């Protein structure tokens, strides 16, 4: 579908047209994300009337607004997004409509009565557009699928997989092919494989793991004339069962990764493979690919080899169990696994030398707190707890890193094209920002023009005991780029490896499956040929252009780009696809976690908690609660009756009159004041020490309890621009902002108010509205 949106009153001095993708904002405005990687262009609400989130457009910059943002105008709609819209079906005054769950769409979708299907008012539905929006008309659609009621268990996951386009149903062909696979390893499968069934390989995973990719074994060995170890990392041989170009392979490539939600996993492979035939379950034979390494006393891999094998896992260990055994070899856990304890001790020894080599190498190793959501049987959050990493986690991590490095080296030495896991150093802009920050806090340490990972690690180690260590480490992390899959090896900056890839998780990551196929091809003195892959989608195309602009910025002007072969282009497309879908999986998982956390915090409206500032912006500070591990925003209007200026170098807000500072690491006490379930946002307000309850209640008098206003209880969206000041997050917010009390929307989730307060607020609002209708100013 292609239409043209005409410009009027443009001047000849404006920039040329550019192409990009519309990114809607829940306040009614939007942005155009440019394909060339340049800064996003702001679209005011009037420009968003004829377009929707994810539409492809041509646009032109027409001016800069009062916040100095480049403001654009859509000149042509190139392509309408084919993504379905998920929302709640409503009936208002005889008109059927769907209020999108994703507020970035900005407009309700009209549904003709004949197009509602079996859906009932209030249910969550999937809508396919039949008519796009116009300047003076809303979009029209039909109900394609009924998901159920908003409070149905797992509804947040059903919404997320459709919202982000995560494939969640296997094709009939893939399921039929999976049914033809055997239930166990057959004699013919063992041909040309090394028999490792007598080697006590074991798996070590989390308590809730269902598929087991990797098994490990270690024993002392002579390396040259010195002490060393033989370390075996056995990985499920998925490539034996999933043939290139088969129906299962096509589905696996489409997904590119398994997606993990609380209580549910959307696997990359059918369950018969992921939890059965390919999973290295205990006490059954399984096919595997082995990285067999000799590690010397310095923690260096002296030699390695790859080979296909058949194994028999001796035990399924958990991280908690292994950590307990290593801490006390005479404890009850060790007594139950007596025969395997010596091998665990050998694993611990090789881990210690690998860890020492990591330090010599200068790999970045920041300690971060990850959280785990614990739900009950119906999906309701019971608690949010920190996910602790013990010695067993680190042991397995170092073993997997060693195998991945050997895989990358094997592919590079063979001159065979394949996918590397590439993590490049910080961009010039991020280096400058980090240097400015380190200088602003007076650290006395900085990074060079061509920094090494060791420089980042030195700063982290030197500041680990400072009270502002979380702030410093957060800035170090922010200065780094995201890792990607690509056939062009340029090393892994964070891990300080010259070559790195992913080999250890072929059950849940497609790049690992490709690496297995390449290694097998090299072992057989052949070449692995990628199948004909689908045309890269929008996400891959966008990522490709951004990467191209990054490469263009850092290349020498005299360097001529080398023309890629068809084979290289195919591998580049596969890498971009896997990288983009990895991000899609992360976004879908974060969306579900944010929804669950919001649902959880609605039960704690009005309660007070201690917390720490985890980010500062031009519009407020983000605070993470100590007890809940939930993050929310304290808007700048809640910081006090003075101007607060955002100091970008120090990453802090500072009061111009009082000098009061809010930076990462600052401890505060807050009250949960508002929860926006649709927007996945939580608002806090600062609680001053000694503030009395009466004064606090007066500040909250415009709020309401978890039952929102009638329109919001039905799921109707707020008017464009009606977002409460407490959750503003506009791009390009000014560095100087005025802090004032009030400014919240009355329909927000807040601490409960008394009936008298509610009556007074209603009378005041009615008088105010009457005054406006008569053209009078409301009394204050």
């Amino acid at each position: 579908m292609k239409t043209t949106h005409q410009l009027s009153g443009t001047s000849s001095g404006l920039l040329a047209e550019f192409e990009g993708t519309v990114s809607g904002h829940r306040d009614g405005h939007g942005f155009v994300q440019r394909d060339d990687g340049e800064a996003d262009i702001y679209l005011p609400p009037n420009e968003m009337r004829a377009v929707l989130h994810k539409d492809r457009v041509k646009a032109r910059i027409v001016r800069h607004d009062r916040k100095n943002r480049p403001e654009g105008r859509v000149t042509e709609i190139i392509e309408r997004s084919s993504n379905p819209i998920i929302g709640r079906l409503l009936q208002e005054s005889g008109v059927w409509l769907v209020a999108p769950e994703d507020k970035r769409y900005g407009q309700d979708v009209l549904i003709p009565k004949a197009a509602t299907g079996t859906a009932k008012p209030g249910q969550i539905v999937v809508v396919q557009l039949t008519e796009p929006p116009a300047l003076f008309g809303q979009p029209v659609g039909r109900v394609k699928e009924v998901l159920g009621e908003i409070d149905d268990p797992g509804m947040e996951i059903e919404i997320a997989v459709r919202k982000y386009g995560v494939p969640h149903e296997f094709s009939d062909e893939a399921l039929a092919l999976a049914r033809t696979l055997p239930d166990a390893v057959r004699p013919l499968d063992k041909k040309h494989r090394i028999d490792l069934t007598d080697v006590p390989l074991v798996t070590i995973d989390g308590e809730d793991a269902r598929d087991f990719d990797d098994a490990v074994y270690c024993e002392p060995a002579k390396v040259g004339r010195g002490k060393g170890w033989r370390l075996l990392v056995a990985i499920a041989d998925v490539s034996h069962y999933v043939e290139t170009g088969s129906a299962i392979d096509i589905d696996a490539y489409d997904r590119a990764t398994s997606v993990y939600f609380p209580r549910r996993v959307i696997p990359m492979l059918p369950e018969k493979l992921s939890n059965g035939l390919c999973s290295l379950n205990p006490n059954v034979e399984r096919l595997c690919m082995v990285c067999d390494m000799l590690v010397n006393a310095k923690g260096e891999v002296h030699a390695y080899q790859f080979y296909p094998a058949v194994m028999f896992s001796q035990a399924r260990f958990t991280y908690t169990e292994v950590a307990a055994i290593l801490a006390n070899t005479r404890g009850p856990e060790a007594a139950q696994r007596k025969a395997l304890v010596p091998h665990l001790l050998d694993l611990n020894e090789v881990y210690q030398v690998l860890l020492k080599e990591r330090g010599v190498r200068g790999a970045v190793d920041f300690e971060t707190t990850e959280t785990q959501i614990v739900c009950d049987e119906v999906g309701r959050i019971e608690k949010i707890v920190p996910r602790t990493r013990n010695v067993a986690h680190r042991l397995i991590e170092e073993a997997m890193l060693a195998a991945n490095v050997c895989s990358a080296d094997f592919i590079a030495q063979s001159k065979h094209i394949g996918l590397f896991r590439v993590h490049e150093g910080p961009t010039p802009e991020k280096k400058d920002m980090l240097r400015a920050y380190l200088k602003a806090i007076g650290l006395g340490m900085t990074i060079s023009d061509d920094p090494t990972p060791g420089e980042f690690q030195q700063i982290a180690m030197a500041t680990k005991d400072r009270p502002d260590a979380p702030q410093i480490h957060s800035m170090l992390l922010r200065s780094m780029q995201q890792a990607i899959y690509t056939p062009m090896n340029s090393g892994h900056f964070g891990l300080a490896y010259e070559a790195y890839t992913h080999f250890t998780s072929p059950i849940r990551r497609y790049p690992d499956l490709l690496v297995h196929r390449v290694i097998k091809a090299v072992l057989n003195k052949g070449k692995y040929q990628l199948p004909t892959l689908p045309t890269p989608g929008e996400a891959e195309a966008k990522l490709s252009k951004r990467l191209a602009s990054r490469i263009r910025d850092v290349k020498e002007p005299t360097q001529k780009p080398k023309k890629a072969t068809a084979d290289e282009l195919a591998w580049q497309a596969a890498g971009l696809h896997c990288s983009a879908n990895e991000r899609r999986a992360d976004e879908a998982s974060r969306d579900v976690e944010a929804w669950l956390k919001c649902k959880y915090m609605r039960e704690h409206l009005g309660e007070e908690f201690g917390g720490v500032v985890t980010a500062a912006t031009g519009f407020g500070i983000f605070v993470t609660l100590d007890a809940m591990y939930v993050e929310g925003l304290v808007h700048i209007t809640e910081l006090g009756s003075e101007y607060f200026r955002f100091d970008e170098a120090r990453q802090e807000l500072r009061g111009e009159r009082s000098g009061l500072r809010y930076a990462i690491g600052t401890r505060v006490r807050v009250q949960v004041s508002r929860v926006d379930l649709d927007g996945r946002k939580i608002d806090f307000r600062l609680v001053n020490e000694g503030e009395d309850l009466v004064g606090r209640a007066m500040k909250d008098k415009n709020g309401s309890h978890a039952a929102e206003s009638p329109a919001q209880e039905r799921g109707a969206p707020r008017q464009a621009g009606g977002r409460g000041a407490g959750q503003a997050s506009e791009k390009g917010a000014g560095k100087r902002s005025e802090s004032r009390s009030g400014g919240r929307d009355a329909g927000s989730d807040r601490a409960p108010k008394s009936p008298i307060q509610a009556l007074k607020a209603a009378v005041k609002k009615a008088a105010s509205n009457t005054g406006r209708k008569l053209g009078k100013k409301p009394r204050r």
Side-chain angles (χ1 to χ4, degrees):
M1 190 180 298
K2 193 171 182 177
T3 57
T4 301
H5 179 56
Q6 295 294 332
L7 275 174
S8 61
T10 59
S11 64
S12 58
L14 299 177
L15 292 178
E17 289 182 339
F18 55 83
E19 294 185 7
T21 303
V22 174
S23 178
H25 194 277
R26 64 188 302 274
D27 281 351
H29 65 262
F31 298 89
V32 176
Q33 296 179 336
R34 297 175 60 161
D35 290 344
D36 55 16
E38 296 296 328
D40 296 346
I41 306 303
Y42 173 74
L43 290 180
N46 63 304
E47 284 294 318
M48 288 294 294
R49 289 175 187 160
V51 295
L52 287 175
H53 179 59
K54 293 189 177 181
D55 283 350
R56 295 271 306 152
V57 300
K58 282 185 180 179
R60 177 180 295 156
I61 298 175
V62 294
R63 68 187 184 97
H64 284 73
D65 67 6
R66 59 186 177 82
K67 294 182 179 178
N68 202 33
R69 295 176 298 190
E71 185 176 306
R73 179 170 296 172
V74 174
T75 59
E76 183 180 343
I77 299 170
I78 301 172
E79 184 181 5
R80 293 287 187 180
S81 171
S82 60
N83 289 8
I85 297 175
I86 300 93
R88 188 181 294 193
L89 182 66
L90 308 172
Q91 187 180 29
E92 295 186 351
S93 303
V95 177
W96 291 85
L97 53 89
V98 167
E101 189 274 339
D102 188 341
K103 299 308 175 189
R104 291 176 296 181
Y105 281 99
Q107 303 184 57
D108 293 342
V109 181
L110 295 176
I111 308 293
K113 179 63 178 76
T116 58
T118 60
K120 300 175 182 178
Q123 289 186 317
I124 303 298
V125 298
V126 181
V127 172
Q128 193 69 50
L129 291 185
T130 55
E131 294 181 27
L135 285 175
F136 304 104
Q138 288 178 267
V140 180
R142 64 178 181 84
V143 174
K144 179 182 176 183
E145 182 183 4
V146 179
L147 299 184
E149 304 297 333
I150 186 62
D151 292 324
D152 288 349
M155 179 55 67
E156 69 281 0
I157 298 175
E158 296 297 333
I159 291 172
V161 296
R162 291 161 178 82
K163 178 178 176 180
Y164 291 95
V166 176
H168 58 285
E169 293 180 345
F170 288 103
S171 64
D172 293 337
E173 295 80 4
L175 293 174
L177 181 57
R179 285 193 291 270
T180 67
L181 295 173
D183 295 320
V185 174
R186 301 164 298 186
L188 61 92
D189 297 323
K190 302 179 186 180
K191 289 184 178 180
H192 311 296
R193 288 180 178 270
I194 303 295
D195 188 346
L196 296 181
T197 53
D198 60 338
V199 176
L201 286 151
V202 298
T203 61
I204 305 175
D205 294 275
E207 279 81 359
D208 56 351
R210 295 178 60 197
D211 53 64
F212 309 110
D213 285 284
D214 54 88
V216 290
Y217 167 76
C218 185
E219 65 183 16
K222 281 282 187 181
V223 179
R225 295 182 179 180
K227 181 182 179 181
W229 296 265
R230 182 190 181 198
L231 174 63
L232 269 64
V233 174
I235 306 299
D237 191 358
V238 175
S239 62
H240 180 83
Y241 298 106
V242 181
E243 295 183 5
T244 298
S246 67
I248 295 176
D249 190 43
I250 292 171
D251 278 19
Y253 175 78
D254 188 31
R255 297 177 179 220
T257 180
S258 296
V259 187
Y260 293 85
F261 300 109
R263 301 184 311 112
R264 181 179 170 188
V265 176
I266 296 180
M268 185 181 78
L269 300 172
E271 188 173 355
K272 184 170 184 178
L273 288 167
S274 61
N275 294 350
L277 192 56
C278 290
S279 182
L280 305 183
N281 299 327
N283 304 317
V284 291
E285 288 186 341
R286 286 289 183 259
L287 303 184
C288 59
M289 283 293 294
V290 177
C291 181
D292 194 337
M293 297 167 276
L294 282 177
V295 181
N296 64 24
K298 294 181 179 179
E300 301 166 339
V301 177
H302 179 76
Y304 67 83
Q305 62 176 329
F306 287 92
Y307 51 82
V310 56
M311 61 165 285
F312 187 91
S313 175
Q314 300 289 322
R316 181 266 202 258
F317 280 107
T318 67
Y319 293 122
T320 305
E321 185 181 7
V322 171
I325 292 172
L326 295 177
N328 182 9
T329 56
R330 296 183 180 181
E333 294 86 0
Q336 293 176 3
R337 307 280 198 174
K338 192 172 182 180
L340 296 173
V341 169
H343 305 304
L344 292 180
L345 294 175
D346 291 334
L347 276 168
N348 189 47
E349 282 190 2
V350 79
Y351 154 66
Q352 296 295 339
V353 298
L354 288 171
L355 186 63
K356 186 182 295 184
E357 195 278 332
R358 180 191 186 106
V360 173
R361 198 172 70 244
V364 178
D365 188 15
F366 299 141
E367 283 293 340
T368 56
T369 301
E370 295 183 7
T371 59
Q372 178 181 3
I373 296 176
V374 180
C375 298
D376 59 19
E377 294 180 355
V378 296
R380 180 178 174 274
I381 292 185
E382 290 184 339
K383 57 184 176 180
I384 301 172
V385 296
R387 193 186 294 271
T388 55
R389 275 166 46 87
N390 57 39
V391 65
H393 287 88
R394 293 179 172 276
L395 184 154
I396 289 298
E397 179 182 302
E398 288 299 329
M400 298 305 113
L401 289 176
N404 285 337
V405 171
C406 292
S407 304
D409 183 72
F410 187 76
I411 293 172
Q413 294 293 338
S414 70
K415 307 297 183 186
H416 195 299
I417 193 169
L419 286 185
F420 295 93
R421 181 67 167 177
V422 168
H423 180 232
E424 296 181 339
T427 62
E429 295 80 12
K430 290 189 175 183
K431 282 188 286 188
D432 291 342
M433 184 180 296
L434 180 59
R435 286 196 194 100
Y437 169 72
L438 296 174
K439 182 179 179 181
I441 63 173
L443 182 60
M445 300 178 71
T446 189
I447 57 172
S448 62
D449 291 336
D450 188 16
T452 64
E455 294 177 35
F456 284 76
Q457 186 64 12
Q458 286 172 8
I459 295 172
M461 292 301 293
T463 59
K464 65 178 182 179
D465 296 325
R466 288 175 51 137
D468 58 350
Q471 178 182 2
I472 297 171
H473 293 185
S474 176
M475 288 300 297
L476 290 172
L477 282 171
R478 289 183 193 179
S479 69
M480 297 185 183
Q481 302 184 54
Q482 282 187 303
I484 60 168
Y485 295 106
T486 172
M488 297 172 287
N489 176 41
S490 54
H492 196 292
F493 180 83
L495 295 173
Y497 289 131
E498 292 183 2
Y500 185 73
T501 192
H502 278 166
F503 163 78
T504 54
S505 297
I507 290 178
R508 60 185 181 90
R509 290 190 307 228
Y510 196 82
D512 302 53
L513 177 56
L514 289 178
V515 166
H516 277 234
R517 289 171 175 168
V518 169
I519 290 174
K520 277 190 174 181
V522 174
L523 291 175
N524 293 326
K525 302 189 185 319
K527 181 182 179 183
Y528 176 68
Q529 186 67 44
L530 277 175
T532 302
L533 301 172
T535 304
E538 175 192 331
E540 295 93 315
K542 188 187 302 181
L543 179 61
S544 175
K545 290 181 179 180
R546 288 183 180 270
L547 291 175
S549 68
R550 183 199 303 174
I551 294 170
R552 184 181 66 242
D553 292 340
V554 300
K555 273 190 175 180
E556 295 292 331
T558 57
Q559 196 173 356
K560 291 184 179 179
K562 181 183 175 183
K563 189 174 181 180
T565 64
D567 200 23
E568 289 172 337
L569 289 173
W571 280 94
Q572 287 178 24
L576 288 167
H577 173 82
C578 293
S579 300
N581 284 9
E582 178 185 43
R583 284 157 177 71
R584 177 182 69 183
D586 289 342
E587 289 172 357
S589 297
R590 281 196 296 266
D591 187 80
V592 168
E593 288 189 7
W595 192 93
L596 288 171
K597 287 180 178 179
C598 285
K599 193 79 177 290
Y600 182 55
M601 293 309 293
R602 288 179 71 164
E603 301 173 7
H604 298 278
L605 281 165
E607 295 182 23
E608 296 178 8
F609 301 94
V612 63
V613 176
T614 48
T617 70
F619 52 84
I621 55 174
F622 286 93
V623 175
T624 298
L625 305 183
D626 296 333
M628 303 278 194
Y629 301 97
V630 170
E631 187 180 72
L633 175 70
V634 178
H635 191 261
I636 200 165
T637 55
E638 296 282 8
L639 295 182
S641 55
E642 66 172 308
Y643 285 98
F644 276 83
R645 183 184 295 274
F646 177 55
D647 187 331
E648 188 173 13
R650 293 177 179 271
Q651 291 291 300
E652 68 180 20
L653 280 174
R654 181 184 297 217
E656 289 193 345
R657 187 182 70 248
S658 65
L660 188 62
R661 298 189 305 170
Y662 294 100
I664 300 172
T666 303
R667 296 208 58 80
V668 293
R669 187 161 186 81
V670 296
Q671 182 188 47
V672 183
S673 61
R674 176 178 178 267
V675 176
D676 178 4
L677 196 59
D678 290 338
R680 316 291 197 265
K681 306 293 183 182
I682 301 168
D683 279 357
F684 301 144
R685 74 172 191 82
L686 288 182
V687 176
N688 298 320
E689 294 297 331
E691 183 180 356
D692 67 340
L693 293 175
V694 176
R696 197 174 302 168
M698 290 301 292
K699 285 188 176 182
D700 289 334
K701 68 180 180 179
N702 289 328
S704 64
H705 198 240
E708 301 177 340
S709 63
Q712 290 175 334
E713 188 65 31
R714 292 195 310 270
R718 296 190 180 98
Q719 296 295 322
R723 181 182 184 177
Q727 196 59 58
S729 59
E730 290 188 59
K731 296 184 180 181
K735 294 185 180 180
R736 174 170 173 160
S737 305
E738 183 180 3
S739 174
R740 302 167 301 183
S741 61
R744 304 277 187 156
D745 43 346
S748 305
D749 282 341
R750 271 190 181 273
K753 59 186 177 184
S754 69
I756 296 297
Q757 288 174 337
L759 180 60
K760 287 181 178 179
V763 171
K764 185 176 179 180
K765 183 177 179 181
S768 175
N769 290 338
T770 303
R772 288 193 186 96
K773 289 180 181 179
L774 296 174
K776 300 176 182 178
K777 291 184 179 180
R779 291 181 63 186
R780 295 192 180 276

